[in-house]
Amino acid sequence: MLPWIQLDSTIIPGDGGELRLKQRGSEFSIMLGSNELMNSRLSGSEEALATLSWDRIKGHSRPKVLIGGLGMGFTLRAALAVLPAEAEVVVAELVPAVVAWAHGPMAEVFKGCLEDPRVLIHQGDVSEAIGSVKAGFDAILLDVDNGPDGLTRKSNDRLYDFNGLRASREALRSGGVLAVWSSGPNPSFSRKLRDSGFSVNVVNTRANGKRGGARHVIWLAVKSSA
């Protein structure tokens, strides 16, 4: 079996520790310590984050979507595959090296999606992008950290507390959806979303889509049109 080779490492701004990019043949892995945050062979649940959200906003004209976390681009590519030509996709990525990896060693994984004219990269915290608009997005897709149970940065918790959820709701247009990826279930987060004024659907999905893999969770929280 081919050995893993470390290609690069970077420090997550703030309190997040060190990310390491590794490669084994055509397979890539992004690690935080001994934890694998993402792997280029496992994309099913990240893709579902985009496609399930699109199902909720299909009737919106000129949709504008915010994706929190570039990762390996799976959510972005899936969004671009279903969104119309007049859509706009803002991708907020805190770690500059992740964007550099997308243009460099992982270019084959990204398949040119960052050059799509619908895409704008926001280099910074997704909470800044959320707080900068009022009723401006049709969908906010959060694949940040490990979901509501943070792993890399304590400051990510603010995305999922009541103030953070209120900010996301205010940033959404009527009928817009806040979609949140998580590595596992969290019933208290479902209640928090409902208490924040969303109608909530919880979807169980698999890391490798129909082929199985680890079980992940996606919350689809819709802002009432009332």
Side-chain angles (χ1 to χ4, degrees):
M1 180 176 289
L2 291 172
W4 283 103
I5 299 170
Q6 182 166 313
L7 301 181
D8 196 13
S9 64
T10 188
I11 299 298
I12 301 173
D15 55 1
E18 183 184 56
L19 286 182
R20 293 179 291 124
L21 175 64
K22 300 173 68 176
Q23 182 179 10
R24 180 174 63 185
S26 61
E27 179 183 0
F28 292 89
S29 175
I30 295 180
M31 305 283 296
L32 176 71
S34 60
N35 295 304
E36 183 176 64
L37 298 183
M38 57 200 79
N39 185 290
S40 60
R41 294 185 301 104
L42 304 173
S43 61
S45 59
E46 288 87 351
E47 292 165 354
L49 186 66
T51 55
L52 292 171
S53 299
W54 171 239
D55 287 341
R56 267 68 179 176
I57 63 167
K58 278 183 178 177
H60 295 214
S61 62
R62 303 184 66 84
K64 185 172 181 178
V65 176
L66 172 64
I67 297 177
L70 176 60
M72 292 187 173
F74 299 129
T75 299
L76 174 59
R77 290 211 316 271
L80 293 174
V82 295
L83 288 168
E86 68 273 16
E88 180 180 344
V89 183
V90 179
V91 182
E93 174 53 55
L94 178 69
V95 184
V98 172
V99 180
W101 296 342
H103 287 292
M106 288 199 297
E108 284 297 313
V109 176
F110 278 81
K111 302 184 186 301
C113 66
L114 294 183
E115 283 68 55
D116 190 297
R118 294 171 290 177
V119 176
L120 174 68
I121 297 293
H122 169 84
Q123 189 73 67
D125 197 308
V126 66
S127 62
E128 298 169 357
I130 291 171
S132 67
V133 300
K134 299 295 181 185
F137 293 111
D138 296 279
I140 298 173
L141 317 183
L142 297 181
D143 183 3
V144 176
D145 212 327
N146 223 31
D149 296 321
L151 178 67
T152 64
R153 298 175 77 235
K154 185 66 175 176
S155 57
N156 284 331
D157 292 347
R158 66 186 179 184
L159 283 170
Y160 306 116
D161 63 20
F162 281 112
N163 287 335
L165 295 178
R166 188 178 302 112
S168 289
R169 191 176 188 281
E170 291 176 355
L172 287 169
R173 294 170 179 159
S174 180
V177 60
L178 169 65
V180 178
W181 182 97
S182 176
S183 60
N186 186 328
S188 65
F189 184 64
S190 299
R191 292 192 296 271
K192 191 180 294 184
L193 283 166
R194 294 187 179 96
D195 290 345
S196 298
F198 291 99
S199 59
V200 181
N201 186 26
V202 183
V203 178
N204 294 307
T205 185
R206 304 297 286 268
N208 214 12
K210 293 180 180 179
R211 290 174 291 174
R215 297 179 184 275
H216 297 153
V217 174
I218 295 172
W219 286 270
L220 298 164
V222 176
K223 179 179 179 177
S224 172
S225 58

